[in-house]
Amino acid sequence: MSRRSIELVSPAVEALRQVDDWPAPHAAVAVVGRSSVLASRGERDLQFRWASVTKLLTAAAALVALEEGIVDLDDPAGPPGSTLRHLLSHASGLPLNQGPPIARPGQRRIYSNSGIEAAAETVSEAAEMPFAEYLRAAVTGPLGLSAHLPGSAAWSYRGTLDDLAGLASELLVPRLVAPETLAEATRTQFPGLTGVLPGFGRLEPNDWGLGFELRHEKRPHWTGARNSPRTFGHFGAAGTFLWVDPDAGIALACLTDLEFGEWARKAWPRLSDSVLEELE
């Protein structure tokens, strides 16, 4: 992918002009198809804090480890009674950040940075190397991403729009893992669990895959009303998101340097719907 500060390459990207009116000092967005970046706006080579979009990289690494046979989803991991599957799908009972469990495994969907960090540690121990090294060898290196994981496997990655578009391409047409493996990762794990989607409130159910948040019929949601129920992805507190809509065959990647807030709850669904409407 070439790197240009501002790119407008097809009539279907007029919706991307919306980001010019966002209150963020910097914003970079890209529409990604099955074989290329279809359109982008903003600085593609500027590094942004991904925040919880980092979890998608960690999930991808866990899937590679699964295919390599060094971990199994039902291996014990985390608090007593929990498995790697519980950790990746926010069903282990661990709280948001460090601390003892606040529920039994499989009882509630509790969004948990510490659970994702425990999943990364499980992979690290099985691979016998620091997780950042395994992530580089298994995911970011093969995908040609520009940066390294500096800290938490739940929220610390910093990278460019081209990096996020590269991840989006992998999630549309997987090369690092079999399509069947990604399909399992984007199916509901522990169906029926209730939980809070950060920034959007309590949802019944709050469906989640293996590191991937699943749109299904959630209302309200940070994706658009035109997104198919099969849409999956993640958003971050740094004003960042990536969704992949397998039915539409596209992904939308977004990086900003403005914290998530009311502006994003309004702007992101509007942008998503506009992009999907144009591509239809």
Side-chain angles (χ1 to χ4, degrees), residues 137-153:
V139 179
T140 61
L143 294 182
L145 307 196
S146 66
H148 297 270
L149 185 73
S152 171

Side-chain angles (χ1 to χ4, degrees), residues 35-175:
S35 60
S36 66
V37 174
L38 303 179
S40 68
R41 191 163 185 86
E43 296 174 86
R44 289 175 59 163
D45 54 1
L46 179 65
Q47 283 205 346
F48 291 85
R49 183 168 64 94
W50 285 21
S52 283
V53 178
T54 302
K55 293 178 173 70
L56 299 181
L57 290 173
T58 298
L63 297 184
V64 173
L66 178 65
E67 288 206 343
E68 289 181 339
I70 64 173
V71 298
D72 185 274
L73 289 174
D74 297 315
D75 286 342
S82 173
T83 66
L84 181 59
R85 188 188 302 272
H86 285 98
L87 293 173
L88 289 170
S89 59
H90 300 283
S92 70
L94 288 173
L96 174 61
N97 293 312
Q98 297 300 317
I102 56 177
R104 295 189 302 274
Q107 183 183 51
R108 292 164 52 196
R109 192 82 66 190
I110 301 171
Y111 184 78
S112 177
N113 289 328
S114 58
I116 297 299
E117 290 165 351
E121 182 60 29
T122 299
V123 172
S124 172
E125 291 175 357
E128 299 181 337
M129 66 174 68
F131 182 74
E133 291 183 17
Y134 186 80
L135 179 67
R136 185 67 182 172
V139 179
T140 61
L143 294 182
L145 307 196
S146 66
H148 297 270
L149 185 73
S152 171
W155 50 261
S156 73
Y157 191 81
R158 296 181 64 92
T160 67
L161 182 64
D162 276 355
D163 289 338
L164 193 54
L167 176 60
S169 295
E170 169 64 19
L171 297 177
L172 276 166
V173 184
R175 295 159 289 164

Side-chain angles (χ1 to χ4, degrees), residues 193-209:
L193 295 188
T194 296
V196 173
L197 178 61
F200 291 89
R202 179 184 174 90
L203 295 172
E204 299 183 22
N206 186 15
D207 289 339
W208 222 280

Side-chain angles (χ1 to χ4, degrees), residues 188-275:
T188 304
Q189 308 293 313
F190 307 103
L193 295 188
T194 296
V196 173
L197 178 61
F200 291 89
R202 179 184 174 90
L203 295 172
E204 299 183 22
N206 186 15
D207 289 339
W208 222 280
L210 298 172
F212 301 94
E213 198 242 311
L214 310 181
R215 192 199 192 288
H216 288 182
E217 303 297 335
K218 292 175 180 174
R219 299 286 191 280
H221 201 253
W222 53 275
T223 63
R226 289 178 175 269
N227 280 92
S228 78
R230 295 179 63 215
T231 300
F232 62 89
H234 218 293
F235 79 89
T240 56
F241 72 78
L242 172 63
W243 59 248
V244 178
D245 189 331
D247 289 355
I250 65 165
L252 184 60
C254 171
L255 295 173
T256 81
D257 52 5
L258 180 64
E259 292 291 302
F260 172 84
E262 187 61 28
W263 73 271
R265 279 187 285 267
K266 295 177 179 177
W268 291 354
R270 184 184 306 123
L271 175 64
S272 299
D273 282 336
S274 298
V275 167

